[in-house]
Amino acid sequence: MRMQLYLTILAFVLASCGTSPTSPAVESAKSAVTAPNEAVAKPAPVELAPVPVTVPAGQRVLVRTIHALSTKTARGGQAFSAVLTEPLTAADGTLIAPRGATTSGVVVASDPGGRVKVVAHLSVRLTGIELAGKSTGIATSIFTRRAPAAKKKDALKIGAGSGAGTVIGAVAGGGVGAAIGAGAGAGAGAGAGAGAGAGVGTGVVLLTRGAPAVIPSESLLTVALSRPLTITR
């Protein structure tokens, strides 16, 4: 009787072990392994901090003008455009602006010159450069173009006036010389006419303004940065 009870309990225990349910942890692990289409989380991209790049003061900037400028028409404050003829680079060699980049500038002074000694002069400087499609302000040294001196032309004008006066004076003096001596009268008349003619020629020079100062289109200008240019990349 007692043996039969032991056998019954043993059979019950064995049956219970064979049908024990799987633990929740095991089921979760199986699901993770057998789910091939489950999305895997990706790490967020790392954003790099902007790095400043500097072009030092004194760096030369070479440009080519697009339109002509002249003291006949240009006025102080007038804007103009040009393009880089050489790439602009930072101190470490980093490219800041490529060859052909657009630059902007302004007329600093436009003096047509005086009528005696002062020749015309035209001064310009750069104020901006196009970087990544946007205009960035810059400050540069001043480029000045002066008109050619007019001394030779002035001398020709005075000489022409003197020559004309000599001829007129000689004719007039010759008439007077017929009464008091043709030779003396002609000489005196010629001398007086030459002096008067020279005075007329000098007057023409004083009333005539000299040649204008001109920066033709396609002119090469060289300036230098007067303060550092710093950008972030």
Side-chain angles (χ1 to χ4, degrees):
M1 182 69 179
R2 188 173 291 178
M3 179 63 68
Q4 187 177 0
L5 178 61
Y6 287 153
L7 293 174
T8 303
I9 294 173
L10 180 59
F12 180 79
V13 170
L14 292 174
S16 298
C17 291
T19 60
S20 60
T22 306
S23 67
V26 174
E27 290 293 339
S28 177
K30 287 182 178 180
S31 299
V33 173
T34 58
N37 296 325
E38 185 176 349
V40 178
K42 295 182 179 180
V46 179
E47 294 185 2
L48 300 177
V51 179
V53 182
T54 300
V55 183
Q59 174 86 1
R60 71 174 190 170
V61 183
L62 284 75
V63 299
R64 186 188 304 274
T65 59
I66 296 176
H67 303 291
L69 295 171
S70 170
T71 51
K72 281 187 174 182
T73 56
R75 297 293 179 267
Q78 178 177 325
F80 71 94
S81 298
V83 295
L84 287 180
T85 59
E86 288 187 2
L88 181 64
T89 58
D92 61 358
T94 301
L95 179 65
I96 302 299
R99 182 173 181 266
T102 302
T103 64
S104 55
V106 66
V107 175
V108 177
S110 178
D111 188 342
R115 290 185 168 87
V116 182
K117 293 183 179 180
V118 181
V119 298
H121 65 275
L122 183 63
S123 299
V124 299
R125 64 181 176 87
L126 298 181
T127 57
I129 185 170
E130 187 173 307
L131 302 176
K134 296 181 179 179
S135 180
T136 300
I138 60 174
T140 71
S141 58
I142 295 174
F143 177 91
T144 298
R145 174 67 55 82
R146 296 184 180 277
K151 291 182 179 179
K152 184 175 181 180
K153 291 182 179 179
D154 292 348
L156 291 175
K157 291 175 183 177
I158 294 174
S162 177
T166 300
V167 173
I168 295 172
V171 173
V176 174
I180 59 174
V200 172
T202 302
V204 171
V205 170
L206 295 177
L207 293 175
T208 303
R209 192 179 296 277
V214 179
I215 300 177
S217 61
E218 302 295 318
S219 293
L220 297 176
L221 312 183
T222 301
V223 294
L225 291 178
S226 56
R227 66 167 180 255
L229 169 63
T230 301
I231 63 171
T232 54
R233 292 195 165 186

